[in-house]
Amino acid sequence: MKTLGFAWRYRNAEREVYNLLHALSMSAHDYVGQWFENDLVKAKFMFWATIGGNVGPYSPGTAFYLVTHLIGQTGMSFCKGGMGAIADAIAASGEAEGMEIQCDTWVEEILVRDGRTYGVRLRSGEEIHASRVVSNVNVKRTFLDMVDRSHLPEEFVEDVEGFRARGMGFKLLCAVDRLPQYKGFSQEKTGVDYPAYAHICPTPEFLEQAFHDAKFGWYSQEPFLSPNVPSYTDPTLAPEGKHVVVFQGGVTPYELRNSDWDREGPQVVRNAFAVMDRFAPGFSDSVIDHKLITPKDIEADINMPGGNSQHGELTLDQIFFMRPVPRYADYRSPVKCLYQCGASTHPGGAVSAVPGQNAAREILKDWRWRA
Ligand SMILES: Cc1cc2nc3c(=O)[nH]c(=O)nc-3n(C[C@H](O)[C@H](O)[C@H](O)COP(=O)(O)OP(=O)(O)OC[C@H]3O[C@@H](n4cnc5c(N)ncnc54)[C@H](O)[C@@H]3O)c2cc1C
């Protein structure tokens, strides 16, 4: 009876259900091909499908990456003062409400007694006791390193171990002495002053080829790039006349076959500059200094195993009610009063604040229920 009622209620949703199934199962290439014929336009959209997983945009399931990155998007935004300004704003808002913040403070252990957390132990040995602990640290680190396994069901531990968290993207930070000048850009035709955010991927095949190289443990000979110039909109980020160009690109697998990133990093940079020079001639001559960040660096810098910018792949088996793992996709955990609120949870990475907001909602629900 219940099933019939459900079917009746959603009898007109057939079209939406098909759309959702398409978005979840199709390749980004086929998905975009439903609307566009032009390769340039297709590649522009398919670029979004390169963020989140470890397969190219011709693979089934990649349409979802594209859709998830474009939901609600009205353009690219830059934060005045750099991304750190967002953290500063959140901190200021919390402090105004009495929140205390400790930076550079390493949590060694989440304390648990009788199945319930009662605080954390810092590397210094100090214990901070609390009625609730909320972790935005990657799910693997939170539960495999910080919580004693005796407090966790075996099945949960296995699921967390299976959470795929290897990154494939690199970030390249450049200080330059002039703005990149793109051959293909026309102020007149676009009505835009300057493309402070761009996608460099001329064809769908170009994107797929970049993943093809990485499939076998190597990096792309011709990486796709998204150069953005935050100093164009925020001059405080660079000295007068100079600029900061930040590239995200791919593909750089976490692990290399018969080599390592210390050895190969300089070649990745040369490959990226060669692509950039094709589309913005003279770019490499304008570079004063640069820094490459690979998944290994991300792992080391912020204690994020695998260095995936989304904490973990956004594949069908790691999204919605299965993120980070089945049965614990509601921001709770097997330990009472220990919550998860980071990119490892639904809906995944990006500076969206959505996982945090959802977690807060669930924590408040439990709080009210107990009160
Ligand atoms: C290279 C890169 C580029 C990105 N670009 C974009 C972008 O352009 N736009 C966008 O929207 N998103 C981007 N993202 C994604 C976005 O930054 C993340 O999804 C988001 O920051 C996740 O926030 P979080 O709070 O969930 O987790 P995190 O940012 O991972 O925060 C977890 C924090 O916990 C700390 N930590 C770890 N272990 C411990 C410990 N034992 N004790 C104490 N602290 C600990 C870490 O140092 C880290 O600061 C990018 C991510 C990366 C890595």
Side-chain angles (χ1 to χ4, degrees):
M1 216 43 207
K2 248 185 175 174
T3 315
L4 279 177
F6 182 82
W8 177 250
R9 213 166 40 248
Y10 291 100
R11 66 195 179 284
N12 295 324
E14 187 188 15
R15 185 81 210 144
E16 281 70 28
V17 171
Y18 287 136
N19 284 343
L20 178 66
L21 287 178
H22 283 161
L24 290 175
S25 60
M26 285 174 83
S27 75
H29 177 253
D30 292 343
Y31 193 71
V32 169
Q34 297 179 109
W35 292 286
F36 303 107
E37 289 171 357
N38 183 291
D39 264 0
L40 265 177
V41 177
K42 281 192 204 170
K44 195 257 170 288
F45 281 107
M46 284 166 62
F47 191 97
W48 292 109
T50 62
I51 307 168
N54 285 350
V55 289
Y58 280 56
S59 297
T62 47
F64 177 70
Y65 306 157
L66 182 153
V67 172
T68 197
H69 286 297
L70 290 182
I71 286 173
Q73 199 171 97
T74 51
M76 216 53 193
S77 318
F78 291 114
C79 177
K80 271 219 162 99
M83 287 306 285
I86 292 185
D88 290 344
I90 295 171
S93 155
E95 278 165 345
E97 299 294 328
M99 181 167 83
E100 278 177 40
I101 299 171
Q102 288 191 25
C103 292
D104 301 318
T105 307
W106 191 262
V107 173
E108 200 74 45
E109 187 185 351
I110 295 172
L111 301 167
V112 182
R113 191 190 299 128
D114 301 329
R116 180 193 197 99
T117 184
Y118 63 97
V120 295
R121 182 169 52 78
L122 307 182
R123 182 169 277 170
S124 63
E126 183 193 350
E127 288 191 2
I128 299 178
H129 293 169
S131 60
R132 279 159 190 78
V133 172
V134 189
S135 173
N136 69 331
V137 177
N138 184 288
V139 63
K140 282 177 179 285
R141 290 290 189 242
T142 299
F143 294 103
L144 302 181
D145 295 352
M146 296 183 189
V147 177
D148 190 301
R149 296 207 183 181
S150 62
H151 301 298
L152 300 171
E154 215 171 287
E155 202 182 15
F156 174 79
V157 172
E158 278 169 17
D159 285 344
V160 173
E161 281 171 342
F163 185 72
R164 290 186 312 284
R166 288 195 164 185
M168 281 281 211
F170 66 85
K171 194 156 183 167
L172 178 58
L173 313 173
C174 297
V176 297
D177 64 13
R178 56 189 178 271
L179 276 176
Q181 297 300 325
Y182 298 100
K183 271 196 306 196
F185 173 68
S186 154
Q187 244 179 17
E188 213 174 63
K189 283 188 190 158
T190 59
V192 170
D193 287 340
Y194 180 75
Y197 178 86
H199 284 174
I200 297 192
C201 52
T203 62
E205 289 79 15
F206 186 95
L207 288 173
E208 186 66 17
Q209 183 61 46
F211 276 92
H212 193 66
D213 294 335
K215 228 183 278 177
F216 305 106
W218 209 236
Y219 48 92
S220 312
Q221 299 311 294
E222 285 200 298
F224 52 82
L225 302 169
S226 77
N228 64 76
V229 190
S231 52
Y232 180 76
T233 49
D234 181 1
T236 63
L237 296 177
E240 210 182 322
K242 311 273 192 291
H243 282 282
V244 178
V245 182
V246 179
F247 293 93
Q248 297 214 76
V251 181
T252 45
Y254 174 81
E255 226 151 32
L256 291 173
R257 195 186 59 240
N258 302 330
S259 194
D260 57 58
W261 281 117
D262 285 342
R263 203 170 334 154
E264 302 302 331
Q267 187 58 43
V268 171
V269 175
R270 281 194 288 275
N271 291 351
F273 284 178
V275 170
M276 190 63 179
D277 281 343
R278 263 173 62 199
F279 295 89
F283 172 79
S284 53
D285 292 336
S286 72
V287 177
I288 303 165
D289 203 357
H290 69 268
K291 181 182 177 182
L292 175 71
I293 301 172
T294 66
K296 282 269 182 195
D297 298 315
I298 297 170
E299 175 179 76
D301 286 352
I302 57 170
N303 193 26
M304 190 149 88
N308 184 308
S309 68
Q310 313 288 302
H311 274 205
E313 290 179 37
L314 287 173
T315 42
L316 196 49
D317 61 325
Q318 296 198 160
I319 54 170
F320 299 127
F321 53 91
M322 291 190 283
R323 191 170 185 88
V325 297
R327 291 176 296 280
Y328 293 98
D330 62 354
Y331 309 92
R332 295 176 181 83
S333 79
V335 175
K336 267 191 213 136
C337 297
L338 169 57
Y339 296 89
Q340 320 173 58
C341 70
S344 298
T345 60
H346 174 78
V351 184
S352 69
V354 178
Q357 189 187 19
N358 289 353
R361 185 193 60 221
E362 296 307 308
I363 294 166
L364 288 173
K365 257 191 219 167
D366 291 353
W367 200 302
R368 283 190 203 114
W369 186 79
R370 281 173 51 82

